[in-house]
Amino acid sequence: MSSANNQIISLLIDRCADSDKRTRKFACFAIGNAAYHNDLLYDELRRSIPQLANLLVSTEEDKTKANAAGALSNLVRNSNKLCDDIISKGALQALLKLVSDCSVVALNPSRKDAVNESPLKIALFSLAKMCAHPRCREFLRSSDLFPVIGRLRQSPESTISNYASVIMSKTSEA
């Protein structure tokens, strides 16, 4: 990878902590795009993991949280190269916390409008992708927040209940 590309990726990652909320939102989206097709940029993108994790648990707009969760799913999409970092830098735990925080609304049928705006579906999608990797599955299973995923199988929103069921099924495999 050229040093020019490396500099661009580095600047992009730094934008995840920008003072402008729109810049943070689009930086997350761009990181997800950079990781989508293959794992060639994973080493350079590794530094984004703590930034993305931080955005998931901060007072950030839902769309930014959804973009951060989506970027994390793309960082495991093409290989398990970043799984240890995703665990050690707190990103997997941050996804679980986000799911837990959003689950109250998701299990309340009268709040259907709020569910569609929430980053919950993308966070669950991301966790389901992470279940493809044994280290992530182990971590998920052992988290105190894991039981909330089991409860989300009862969500009146079919996408949420389906993702929760996929995660439960994948984590029960050896």
Side-chain angles (χ1 to χ4, degrees):
M1 170 134 143
S2 76
S3 68
N5 281 350
N6 204 359
Q7 259 184 313
I8 291 168
I9 299 270
S10 188
L11 288 168
L12 187 58
I13 292 168
D14 293 341
R15 295 293 61 84
C16 287
D18 197 271
S19 58
D20 180 66
K21 65 183 181 183
R22 288 178 311 253
T23 301
R24 291 191 302 274
K25 176 171 62 182
F26 289 113
C28 292
F29 188 75
I31 287 168
N33 283 348
Y36 183 80
H37 292 290
N38 55 49
D39 66 356
L40 292 176
L41 298 175
Y42 279 16
D43 287 330
E44 284 73 26
L45 292 169
R46 181 184 309 269
R47 194 170 65 82
S48 70
I49 295 169
Q51 304 262 34
L52 296 169
N54 183 46
L55 290 169
L56 291 174
V57 293
S58 62
T59 53
E60 204 55 64
E61 287 182 349
D62 282 348
K63 187 62 181 157
T64 303
K65 289 182 180 196
N67 287 354
L72 285 166
S73 82
N74 286 347
L75 290 173
V76 298
R77 177 185 168 90
N78 301 296
S79 82
N80 66 354
K81 193 187 279 193
L82 298 178
C83 286
D84 287 338
D85 288 273
I86 283 173
I87 293 167
S88 68
K89 306 289 186 214
L92 198 45
Q93 191 64 17
L95 277 168
L96 279 165
K97 174 141 181 31
L98 177 64
V99 165
S100 177
D101 292 348
C102 295
S103 68
V104 178
V105 170
L107 292 167
N108 182 342
S110 66
R111 300 287 311 278
K112 203 164 176 65
D113 56 319
V115 172
N116 289 327
E117 295 308 305
S118 137
L120 179 60
K121 290 178 189 174
I122 307 289
L124 286 169
F125 173 81
S126 187
L127 289 171
K129 287 286 178 217
M130 290 178 184
C131 286
H133 307 292
R135 291 265 303 115
C136 291
R137 273 199 310 272
E138 265 169 49
F139 182 88
L140 266 174
R141 258 197 313 255
S142 65
S143 169
D144 329 347
L145 294 175
F146 183 65
V148 78
I149 293 174
R151 290 195 295 277
L152 284 170
R153 289 179 297 184
Q154 308 309 312
S155 173
E157 165 58 60
S158 64
T159 308
I160 290 169
S161 59
N162 287 341
Y163 284 147
S165 296
V166 165
I167 294 166
M168 294 308 289
S169 140
K170 286 182 175 181
T171 52
S172 67
E173 295 167 9

